[in-house]
Amino acid sequence: MTVGPSGGGHLRGGGDPGISRRMPTLTPRDPERDGLLTRTVYPTVPPRAEWEATATARAAYDEGLAVS
């Protein structure tokens, strides 16, 4: 897990034909709804958003590492 915000560009990286350009937008929405990610949207052209793990997500990640 990376620390700090991420723009999600790494999700678009490989140009996988099975992943649409919209997928990086849709994918984080469920964790955002569940309180695991926060999203900051910047009013720029083109629009830019950053995603960051919440304290809840970081704690769950740390617990998972402790178990494995």
Side-chain angles (χ1 to χ4, degrees), residues 5-66:
S6 171
H10 62 285
L11 297 173
R12 291 188 290 276
D16 187 333
I19 299 176
S20 72
R21 291 182 59 84
R22 230 177 122 213
M23 185 55 103
T25 301
L26 297 175
T27 302
R29 295 285 167 91
D30 287 341
E32 180 186 20
R33 182 195 65 222
D34 296 338
L36 299 174
L37 293 176
T38 57
R39 179 174 57 136
T40 305
V41 179
Y42 298 94
T44 60
V45 176
R48 180 173 70 100
E50 290 182 342
W51 300 89
E52 187 169 10
T54 63
T56 302
R58 288 190 295 271
Y61 179 78
D62 290 341
E63 287 180 26
L65 287 178

